[in-house]
Amino acid sequence: MKVGSKLLREVAFMADLTAANAGTYQFDDQFSINRLGYGTMQLTGSGVWGPYKDPNQAVSVIQHATELGINFFDTADSYGPWFADRYLAAGLKKASNRDNIFISDKVGQTRQGPGIWTPHGEPNYLRQQVGVSMMTLGIDHEDLLFLHRIDSHFPIADQVGELKKMQDEGKIKHIGLSQVSVDQIKEAQKYAKIDAVENLYNVADHKDDDVVDYAESQHMAFVPWFPLNTGKLAGADSPLSAIANKYQVSEAQIALAWLLKRSPNILPIPGTSSIQHLEDNVAAANVQLSDADFDQLSHLSK
Ligand SMILES: NC(=O)c1ccc[n+]([C@@H]2O[C@H](COP(=O)([O-])OP(=O)(O)OC[C@H]3O[C@@H](n4cnc5c(N)ncnc54)[C@H](OP(=O)(O)O)[C@@H]3O)[C@@H](O)[C@H]2O)c1
């Protein structure tokens, strides 16, 4: 009897545990995605360098994410490099809904070792990265391709222009920019339609509010990186503990619920290598913050 009711509770929990509860974001006629996504950067070695210590676990996390209704995955060849993309490709191979999965990828960074990132926006290099990434990921086009960083050594016109050329060739569906100001987005919009922005943004650090507002005004997706502030919002010392207690949910769920409420264009991509944390994050889709609590949390960043 006890086992039966436990099983029933688990079944009810799993039925409620879906990224679909976060609502959807419409990229275009073909792609409507669940707003709560997943970022692959944790599936690497220390300093985002080298393989993840347990490659099978990395593939299982991706696979389980698809089972939980996640159909938006953020990745980059620079994660590993290439290791995260390989795990992503392997995990998605087993997904029953592969045709409905949307990947955002990034180009424009080189890696020289753990923790070292060097922007490189030479158009030929951006083109090479797109070609190699499509092979690694096993895809024939990029759903969304971010310029990871604008490289000051090359004109924006040349970097965004090369992405536009690849879009015209059918290699890229949507173009995005990462870690940019509103002025930089406006400059890039002269050379291509910009459909998404990916900047550092979370409840404890939202100095890019103007970028979120501009993205919403332009029907651009805003993908906040470090949505959990690299885990600092989710750990024992989290500034969100009191409010998490009030809602009887985890701190990570409060951080994600705040992002989901901030703008309908925000698509959080929490990163994790843990199945338990993955499920915890997806459950954030069920958390509805009151307006008063949302406003109170918004002051954390000031
Ligand atoms: N465009 C850019 O320049 C840029 C830069 C950085 C990142 N990104 C993207 O943004 C994504 C998210 O960033 P991120 O992964 O670095 O940081 P994050 O999502 O803010 O935090 C990840 C950290 O939080 C922990 N965590 C995750 N869920 C948790 C939970 N429910 N409870 C407790 N701890 C939890 C993870 O550890 P465990 O593995 O133990 O769960 C990990 O240490 C990346 O994966 C990447 O796709 C983009």
Side-chain angles (χ1 to χ4, degrees):
M1 184 66 185
K2 264 191 177 162
V3 172
S5 57
K6 182 168 181 265
L7 192 66
L8 275 179
R9 271 203 312 279
E10 275 172 10
V11 169
F13 174 70
M14 288 306 287
D16 235 23
L17 192 60
T18 167
N21 289 346
T24 55
Y25 179 82
Q26 188 85 30
F27 261 98
D28 56 29
D29 292 349
Q30 285 174 322
F31 265 107
S32 169
I33 58 168
N34 294 329
R35 287 181 58 208
L36 194 58
Y38 174 87
T40 65
M41 204 176 85
Q42 298 300 325
L43 305 179
T44 58
S46 168
V48 196
W49 185 258
Y52 183 64
K53 60 185 179 217
D54 181 351
N56 290 334
Q57 164 80 1
V59 174
S60 299
V61 168
I62 298 291
Q63 208 184 330
H64 194 48
T66 66
E67 290 160 1
L68 297 174
I70 289 181
N71 54 14
F72 171 43
F73 290 85
D74 182 75
T75 194
D77 66 346
S78 49
Y79 300 163
W82 298 295
F83 285 104
D85 278 359
R86 290 180 197 154
Y87 306 140
L88 178 61
L92 294 187
K93 235 181 223 167
K94 299 173 182 171
S96 56
N97 57 340
R98 179 61 189 90
D99 288 347
N100 298 322
I101 285 170
F102 187 96
I103 298 176
S104 62
D105 196 5
K106 308 184 204 77
V107 293
Q109 291 268 32
T110 57
R111 300 297 310 278
Q112 293 75 41
I116 306 172
W117 305 75
T118 310
H120 189 65
E122 185 184 357
N124 278 340
Y125 177 63
L126 302 180
R127 180 170 284 271
Q128 173 187 317
Q129 278 183 290
V130 168
V132 174
S133 290
M134 288 199 298
M135 284 190 271
T136 314
L137 290 166
I139 54 179
D140 60 10
H141 67 269
E142 299 272 9
D143 297 318
L144 168 59
L145 201 276
F146 284 106
L147 184 60
H148 211 154
R149 290 293 182 274
I150 291 172
D151 181 351
S152 56
H153 299 97
F154 297 90
I156 291 188
D158 292 0
Q159 295 170 78
V160 174
E162 192 65 23
L163 302 191
K164 172 75 170 82
K165 274 188 214 158
M166 289 189 273
Q167 187 175 48
D168 293 342
E169 293 161 16
K171 294 188 169 84
I172 300 172
K173 286 259 195 248
H174 304 93
I175 295 172
L177 303 170
S178 178
Q179 214 44 41
V180 283
S181 65
V182 171
D183 284 347
Q184 286 174 316
I185 301 171
K186 286 182 178 168
E187 168 74 9
Q189 283 178 307
K190 293 179 191 161
Y191 312 111
K193 183 171 181 296
I194 304 299
D195 286 321
V197 185
E198 180 164 327
N199 279 16
L200 194 167
Y201 191 85
N202 58 61
V203 63
D205 183 352
H206 47 97
K207 53 182 169 294
D208 281 357
D209 276 329
D210 61 334
V211 181
V212 173
D213 294 338
Y214 184 70
E216 193 177 321
S217 76
Q218 300 284 304
H219 187 67
M220 274 173 206
F222 183 95
V223 181
W225 57 268
F226 287 176
L228 304 175
N229 210 5
T230 66
K232 289 189 212 74
L233 288 170
D237 299 328
S238 170
L240 308 178
S241 294
I243 197 147
N245 274 339
K246 177 176 164 184
Y247 281 79
Q248 291 287 292
V249 299
S250 71
E251 287 85 350
Q253 287 167 25
I254 295 289
L256 297 172
W258 184 88
L259 287 168
L260 289 168
K261 192 173 168 77
R262 169 63 179 84
S263 161
N265 290 41
I266 286 190
L267 312 175
I269 46 161
T272 181
S273 52
S274 145
I275 294 278
Q276 195 193 333
H277 287 167
L278 174 68
E279 292 184 349
D280 187 49
N281 295 341
V282 171
N286 301 333
V287 179
Q288 302 292 335
L289 291 173
S290 71
D291 290 348
D293 287 332
F294 174 84
D295 288 344
Q296 195 193 324
L297 284 167
S298 302
H299 293 301
L300 262 183
S301 177
K302 301 219 165 87

